[in-house]
Amino acid sequence: MLYVIRHGETDVNKEGRVQGRNGLPLNNSGFQQAESLKEKIDGIQFNYIFSSPQERAVQTAEIATGMQACNDERLNVFDLGTADGLKKEDVRLAGGIPDPAFYEYVEDVAKYVSRVFGFMKELEAEHGGKEINILICGHQCTTGTIRAYFEGMPEDGNILKLASRNGELKTYEF
């Protein structure tokens, strides 16, 4: 079984800012969400724990499972470039992401989806069909992309509408 969780809340989330690679660690609410996840998955023996390298995701994975997470760069949050940390209402969007014509260094959506799908395909090839439990902790964009891997991409390409909320758990099977 594959368990996918989104990291708990940070002060950047609380302030209504877009949070990318310059994000903050969990705040008190985020720690409580991670503890709540711990209760939801209590008794599950995980064979593998994977996480985005972002501190907030690592913290959530390790609090929820009590195990050390294996960080994988392919699970890293979508790079928002120079829009990272801005108030959501102040960000000029193009198709649900910061407008790359206006902000520098915004990651290409197709490349982002490709790297997360690449991780998932590798995981499925190695562990699909086995009786094991895998936990992945990521971000809004990660959880949306993983859901798209199992359910298909939305027609408009907006993976964020498939995303989990902070501290939310979803399960999938290969």
Side-chain angles (χ1 to χ4, degrees):
M1 182 72 69
L2 180 66
Y3 298 81
V4 178
I5 58 177
R6 180 175 170 196
H7 68 77
E9 183 184 77
T10 70
D11 286 340
V12 174
N13 298 129
K14 192 174 181 177
E15 294 169 6
R17 296 180 181 277
V18 293
Q19 181 171 217
R21 296 187 179 188
N22 297 324
L24 297 176
L26 298 177
N27 63 17
N28 287 338
S29 179
F31 279 107
Q32 291 172 354
Q33 289 167 332
E35 287 291 335
S36 177
L37 284 165
K38 185 179 190 174
E39 294 170 13
K40 291 177 185 175
I41 59 176
D42 186 43
I44 299 171
Q45 291 287 29
F46 288 101
N47 302 86
Y48 300 96
I49 311 292
F50 295 101
S51 175
S52 157
Q54 295 294 318
E55 182 179 8
R56 59 197 184 269
V58 174
Q59 287 175 309
T60 302
E62 293 182 353
I63 290 167
T65 64
M67 298 172 64
Q68 184 173 3
C70 175
N71 300 342
D72 195 298
E73 183 61 36
R74 294 171 293 177
L75 297 173
N76 206 345
V77 67
F78 181 84
D79 194 340
L80 301 170
T82 56
D84 199 342
L86 298 177
K87 287 282 224 179
K88 288 179 184 179
E89 64 265 14
D90 295 337
V91 177
R92 182 184 297 184
L93 298 175
I97 64 165
D99 186 347
F102 190 75
Y103 302 100
E104 293 184 296
Y105 314 115
V106 174
E107 186 168 5
D108 179 77
V109 174
K111 288 181 182 176
Y112 175 78
V113 170
S114 178
R115 76 174 155 90
V116 175
F117 274 26
F119 175 84
M120 295 303 296
K121 287 176 185 174
E122 185 180 299
L123 205 61
E124 184 172 15
E126 189 171 335
H127 303 294
K130 295 180 182 174
E131 295 291 324
I132 62 172
N133 294 311
I134 300 170
L135 182 126
I136 297 174
C137 185
H139 309 276
Q140 179 181 25
C141 51
T142 316
T143 62
T145 305
I146 291 172
R147 185 171 169 193
Y149 180 80
F150 287 97
E151 298 177 9
M153 287 292 287
E155 285 186 33
D156 64 0
N158 184 356
I159 57 171
L160 295 182
K161 66 183 177 185
L162 300 177
S164 301
R165 294 181 311 274
N166 288 107
E168 187 173 17
L169 168 71
K170 301 263 184 181
T171 58
Y172 304 95
E173 288 189 50
F174 287 118

